[in-house]
Amino acid sequence: MPTDPSVPSRSVPRPVPRPGVAAIKAYVPGKSGTTGGHPVYKLSSNETPLGPSPAAVAAARQSLDDLALYPDGNATALRAAIAERYGLDPARIVCGAGSDELLSLLAYAYLAPGDEGLFSAHGFLVYRIAILAAGGTPVVAPERDLTTDVDALIARLTERTRIVYIANPNNPTGTYLPFEEVRRLHAALPPDVLLVLDGAYAEYVRRNDYGSGLDLVLEADNVVMTRTFSKIHGLAALRIGWMVAPAHVADAVNRIRGPFNLSAAAIRAGAAAIQDDAHVAAAVAHNDAWLARLTEEVRALGLAVTPSVANFVLVHFPDAPGRSAAAADAFLTGRGVITRRVAAYGLPDCLRVTVGSEAANTAFLDGLRAFVRGAHA
């Protein structure tokens, strides 16, 4: 019988992680390739099909002559560029190795054993991991129509709640909360509860009632907004995230942040990328056109698609042999189209599909048509 590697042998003592660590299910990223000899279209990780800004690439290359030197531990140039772009005080900006690191650092800073971290049922998997890794207790609120439900979150607040994570827009559903709903949630929180607004996909949203949360951060003493360069800026390989927070929160996170958590290439590339408005505008235009087309054409095949404001669509499949999400994923993978299973998010009958290049999107639609019409049988 196999043994649990976290449980020590009675005869050979060894270090054992605390119970919360053993309860964590490691994050599994989307697939990257197939074994076939055909072209591969990766639509599993919400990467931009336009790639990074040429200015960001040129800036990253400048760091190659300085590989023996430590990077600026304060990411001064990057924080200054972000501050200029959004009209912020650089002292309130903290940069991290992707927004994932910052989401975790916030949990480490504000959760103690017995404290609770709250998030929605289909929220980003990193929230649960961060809460457990910090020794806290995850509390999950159900959603309504695959959308964060403010009333459900409020109903689950307790005297032990210390942090609330909201992805807006949400991954993997692509749905969003109007900003007035975010304000309503914040108004219901005790002042010692930290509200973390994860805006990884904020740049893609084109809705008049949406707000990333920046205004609320500047008004309140218990709100943080996190953002990433991995999506619309096309710098996922460099791992760049940032957050804006009250000064006391920024100070707490900086006290536990690694001193050189961003590379020199990341700092330079990020500073250049955030100034390239034309590149971001091109990415938004491409996404707007293809998000609508993918949604329309998938629905025309008789499959449901959750309305999305991000750079991906959530496609629903029937729970039937040969027609399921698992079967569709296997079929598409065989044709070189890599999508994302989201069973780990509690959505076993769905696939998340990134808005890719024209060639990738066409390959996905052609493959899905063949699947629906029975080419897999």
Side-chain angles (χ1 to χ4, degrees):
M1 177 179 296
T3 59
D4 185 341
S6 68
V7 178
S9 166
R10 292 183 178 179
S11 59
V12 184
R14 64 183 184 188
V16 179
R18 51 185 175 72
V21 175
I24 295 173
K25 293 182 179 179
Y27 183 85
V28 179
K31 294 181 295 184
S32 294
T34 71
T35 57
H38 35 58
V40 174
Y41 300 105
K42 185 185 174 191
L43 301 177
S44 59
S45 297
N46 299 340
E47 297 149 334
T48 173
L50 272 60
S53 159
V57 175
R61 286 185 175 137
Q62 293 175 7
S63 67
L64 296 179
D65 293 333
D66 299 321
L67 296 183
L69 305 178
Y70 281 103
D72 172 11
N74 292 317
T76 305
L78 177 56
R79 289 168 49 242
I82 295 169
E84 181 178 359
R85 174 66 178 80
Y86 290 99
L88 301 172
D89 177 0
R92 297 181 61 173
I93 297 171
V94 182
C95 295
S99 56
D100 298 357
E101 182 188 29
L102 298 170
L103 296 170
S104 295
L105 288 174
L106 288 165
Y108 302 155
Y110 289 95
L111 289 177
D115 291 341
E116 295 176 350
L118 179 59
F119 55 95
S120 64
H122 304 298
F124 188 30
L125 292 177
V126 166
Y127 306 152
R128 176 185 289 275
I129 293 172
I131 293 165
L132 286 169
T137 301
V139 177
V140 181
E143 296 183 2
R144 179 181 301 172
D145 298 326
L146 297 182
T147 303
T148 300
D149 185 336
V150 168
D151 291 320
L153 287 166
I154 294 172
R156 283 156 181 80
L157 291 170
T158 75
E159 61 181 13
R160 295 182 299 277
T161 307
R162 292 293 175 268
I163 192 167
V164 179
Y165 289 102
I166 298 295
N168 198 28
N170 188 53
N171 168 33
T173 60
T175 55
Y176 77 103
L177 274 182
F179 191 53
E180 286 308 308
E181 281 292 278
V182 176
R183 284 192 175 276
R184 186 165 72 87
L185 171 61
H186 176 254
L189 298 181
D192 62 344
V193 173
L194 187 66
L195 177 60
V196 180
L197 303 175
D198 178 356
Y201 300 91
E203 293 91 348
Y204 288 107
V205 185
R206 293 295 178 268
R207 295 291 189 277
N208 291 333
D209 59 351
Y210 174 79
S212 66
L214 183 58
D215 291 345
L216 191 56
V217 175
L218 299 180
E219 297 169 8
D221 210 30
N222 63 335
V223 182
V224 173
M225 180 193 69
T226 64
R227 301 285 280 270
T228 182
F229 282 79
S230 296
K231 305 306 178 184
I232 204 164
H233 293 294
L235 295 173
L238 288 179
R239 313 305 304 124
I240 313 169
W242 63 279
M243 75 177 201
V244 60
H248 65 93
V249 176
D251 176 70
V253 171
N254 275 323
R255 289 173 184 271
I256 60 175
R257 175 181 59 84
F260 303 107
N261 59 334
L262 262 68
S263 69
I267 293 168
R268 289 176 174 174
I274 205 161
Q275 298 176 63
D276 194 341
D277 291 337
H279 189 75
V280 170
V284 170
H286 176 89
N287 193 71
D288 285 349
W290 276 103
L291 182 66
R293 180 172 170 183
L294 287 173
T295 300
E296 178 182 355
E297 296 202 23
V298 172
R299 286 175 175 168
L301 295 173
L303 298 172
V305 179
T306 298
S308 174
V309 296
N311 69 330
F312 55 84
V313 292
L314 187 70
V315 183
H316 300 252
F317 294 82
D319 182 15
R323 301 180 62 202
S324 67
D329 182 55
F331 180 78
L332 291 167
T333 298
R335 293 173 65 111
V337 178
I338 312 302
T339 60
R340 180 72 149 109
R341 296 289 310 280
V342 286
Y345 285 92
L347 298 166
D349 299 324
C350 299
L351 295 179
R352 190 192 68 193
V353 185
T354 305
V355 175
S357 65
E358 179 176 358
N361 296 334
T362 300
F364 164 69
L365 290 171
D366 288 346
L368 191 62
R369 290 189 194 97
F371 174 78
V372 169
R373 293 169 182 168
H376 60 292

